[in-house]
């Protein structure tokens, strides 16, 4: 019982020190989004270096009019923290980066149900030699050849399903 009381006191001391010296630990973190268009349709892409693949929801792929390019040979199940049906893959589509007036080519895994319209994952981050710059608040492409700013918290549009809390829980 004494040992448990000592443990609780240590935790309380750590908590108080963290509040005083690192208050940012207790705030909400704004996720990283960039403004893009896919096939002329505006989409805010969630930049996620922890995601293996770039994912687009079926709904967003329909809105972007790229679903007709779906290769169903790549259908299956995406299993991680949750699971969703993979409808297939769009091998090539243009993504226009609004913040720098550049167009890049991307591939997308299309998920039947996804809370995020477009998740820009590690496959395309590596393909386009991206660097996430948290000091300048930008995503650099092609070893810094061009870059786009991350959206501010007030600029991020929420879709019907998405909240930052949902994203945090899924990770």
């Amino acid at each position: 019982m004494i040992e448990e009381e000592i443990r609780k006191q240590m935790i309380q001391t750590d908590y108080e020190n963290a509040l005083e010296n690192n208050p940012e630990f207790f705030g909400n973190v704004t996720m990283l989004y960039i403004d893009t268009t896919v096939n002329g349709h505006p989409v805010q892409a969630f930049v996620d270096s922890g995601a293996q693949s770039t994912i687009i929801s079926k709904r967003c792929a329909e809105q972007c009019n790229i679903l007709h390019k779906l290769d169903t040979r790549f259908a299956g199940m995406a299993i991680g923290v949750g699971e969703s049906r993979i409808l297939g893959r769009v091998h090539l589509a243009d993504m226009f980066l609004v913040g720098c007036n550049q167009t890049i080519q991307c591939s997308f895994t299309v998920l039947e149900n996804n809370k995020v319209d477009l998740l820009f994952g590690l496959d395309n981050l590596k393909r386009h030699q991206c660097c996430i710059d948290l000091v300048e608040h930008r995503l650099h492409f092609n070893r810094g050849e061009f870059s786009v700013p991350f959206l501010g918290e007030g600029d991020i549009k929420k879709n019907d399903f998405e909240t930052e809390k949902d994203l945090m829980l899924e990770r």
Side-chain angles (χ1 to χ4, degrees), residues 31-92:
M31 304 305 256
L32 302 175
Y33 284 85
I34 57 173
D35 260 335
T36 70
T37 64
V38 175
N39 202 27
H41 180 75
V43 182
Q44 291 184 341
F46 173 46
V47 178
D48 188 355
S49 64
Q52 183 178 5
S53 300
T54 296
I55 295 168
I56 192 168
S57 68
K58 176 185 178 190
R59 179 179 67 132
C60 187
E62 287 170 339
Q63 291 171 342
C64 295
N65 197 26
I66 62 171
L67 205 53
H68 68 280
K69 300 173 94 175
L70 184 69
D71 184 346
T72 57
R73 294 177 296 176
F74 290 80
M77 287 299 292
I79 300 173
V81 174
E83 60 182 61
S84 183
R85 196 164 67 108
I86 298 170
L87 300 177
R89 187 173 176 90
V90 173
H91 298 295
L92 199 57

Side-chain angles (χ1 to χ4, degrees), residues 3-158:
E3 189 176 298
E4 179 62 17
E5 197 56 40
I6 291 170
R7 187 186 74 76
K8 286 179 182 178
Q9 285 177 339
M10 288 174 57
I11 291 171
Q12 182 63 28
T13 300
D14 285 350
Y15 173 73
E16 290 169 6
N17 285 334
L19 269 177
E20 184 172 332
N21 299 314
N22 302 293
E24 65 277 7
F25 288 170
F26 298 93
N28 286 332
V29 175
T30 301
M31 304 305 256
L32 302 175
Y33 284 85
I34 57 173
D35 260 335
T36 70
T37 64
V38 175
N39 202 27
H41 180 75
V43 182
Q44 291 184 341
F46 173 46
V47 178
D48 188 355
S49 64
Q52 183 178 5
S53 300
T54 296
I55 295 168
I56 192 168
S57 68
K58 176 185 178 190
R59 179 179 67 132
C60 187
E62 287 170 339
Q63 291 171 342
C64 295
N65 197 26
I66 62 171
L67 205 53
H68 68 280
K69 300 173 94 175
L70 184 69
D71 184 346
T72 57
R73 294 177 296 176
F74 290 80
M77 287 299 292
I79 300 173
V81 174
E83 60 182 61
S84 183
R85 196 164 67 108
I86 298 170
L87 300 177
R89 187 173 176 90
V90 173
H91 298 295
L92 199 57
D94 286 341
M95 178 188 285
F96 178 74
L97 304 169
V98 174
C100 65
N101 295 325
Q102 294 284 331
T103 300
I104 60 173
Q105 292 186 323
C106 293
S107 60
F108 303 103
T109 298
V110 180
L111 291 188
E112 183 173 51
N113 296 311
N114 198 43
K115 292 182 180 182
V116 179
D117 284 336
L118 178 59
L119 189 147
F120 195 69
L122 192 56
D123 57 346
N124 277 302
L125 288 168
K126 288 178 99 173
R127 159 71 180 88
H128 296 289
Q129 299 176 351
C130 292
C131 179
I132 296 171
D133 184 342
L134 300 177
V135 175
E136 296 294 325
H137 204 62
R138 299 184 74 80
L139 181 62
H140 301 284
F141 288 80
N142 296 338
R143 297 182 170 209
E145 184 179 318
F146 52 90
S147 67
V148 294
F150 291 117
L151 297 175
E153 185 174 6
D155 298 321
I156 300 170
K157 298 173 190 152
K158 304 292 183 206

